[in-house]
C-alpha cells in the first residue's frame, strides 16, 4: 500500500488513539508479507491526487480497480483501465519513501505523538 503522509499525521480520536494506531501500523509493517510506503508531503502533485483507489490482481492474470468516492465505491474490470491504474500505482511506489524509510517515518511519528 502507498499512504499519503498527511493521512497518517492527521489525529482523529485524540492523541492516545492516534499513537496506538501508529504503533499498530508499525507492528503490521514489520510483518514480512506487508509492504506499506509513505508518500511524503514534499512529493507534491502526483497522478492519483484526490483519487483513492484499490488495485486487485487475480490468479487468471486479470485485475480490477475500485475507486472510492463520496457515494461509495466504483469497481472497474476493463483491463485497459486497470493497466492505467497499475501505472499510477507504480508511479506512486517510485515516488514514495522506501518500505524501510516508511517504517522509520511511522516509528518517528508514533514517538512524536503526545
Amino acid at each position: 500500500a502507498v499512504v499519503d503522509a498527511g493521512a497518517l499525521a492527521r489525529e482523529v480520536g485524540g492523541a492516545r488513539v492516534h499513537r496506538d494506531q501508529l504503533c499498530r501500523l508499525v507492528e503490521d509493517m514489520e510483518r514480512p508479507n506487508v509492504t506499506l510506503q509513505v508518500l511524503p508531503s514534499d512529493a507534491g502533485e502526483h497522478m492519483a491526487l484526490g483519487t483513492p483507489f484499490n488495485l486487485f490482481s487475480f490468479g487468471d492474470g486479470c485485475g480490477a480497480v475500485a475507486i472510492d468516492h463520496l457515494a461509495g465505491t466504483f469497481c472497474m474490470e476493463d483491463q485497459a483501465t486497470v493497466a492505467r491504474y497499475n501505472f499510477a500505482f507504480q508511479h506512486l511506489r517510485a515516488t514514495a519513501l522506501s518500505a524501510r524509510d516508511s517504517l522509520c517515518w511511522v516509528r518517528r511519528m508514533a514517538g512524536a505523538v503526545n
Side-chain angles (χ1 to χ4, degrees), residues 2 4 6 10 14 17 24 26-28 31-32 38 45 49 52-53 55 57 62 64-65 68 77 80 85 99 101 106:
V2 177
D4 190 270
R10 185 174 301 112
V17 170
R24 175 56 192 265
V26 165
E27 290 175 17
D28 290 339
R31 294 178 182 205
V38 175
E45 187 175 8
L49 192 63
F53 66 92
L55 191 60
S57 297
C62 293
V65 64
D68 299 326
E77 296 180 14
Y85 277 89
D101 289 345
V106 175

Side-chain angles (χ1 to χ4, degrees), residues 6-19 21 113-114:
L8 296 172
R10 185 174 301 112
E11 183 180 303
V12 177
R16 181 176 178 181
V17 170
H18 189 214
R19 184 177 51 255
Q21 289 171 334
V113 175
N114 294 324

Side-chain angles (χ1 to χ4, degrees), residues 51-54 56 64-78 81 85:
T51 308
F53 66 92
N54 294 293
F56 302 94
V65 64
I67 302 168
D68 299 326
H69 54 89
L70 291 176
T73 303
F74 181 68
C75 295
M76 294 177 287
E77 296 180 14
D78 171 70
T81 301
Y85 277 89

Side-chain angles (χ1 to χ4, degrees), residues 77-89:
E77 296 180 14
D78 171 70
Q79 294 309 293
T81 301
V82 172
R84 282 193 297 274
Y85 277 89
N86 188 47
F87 180 78
F89 182 65

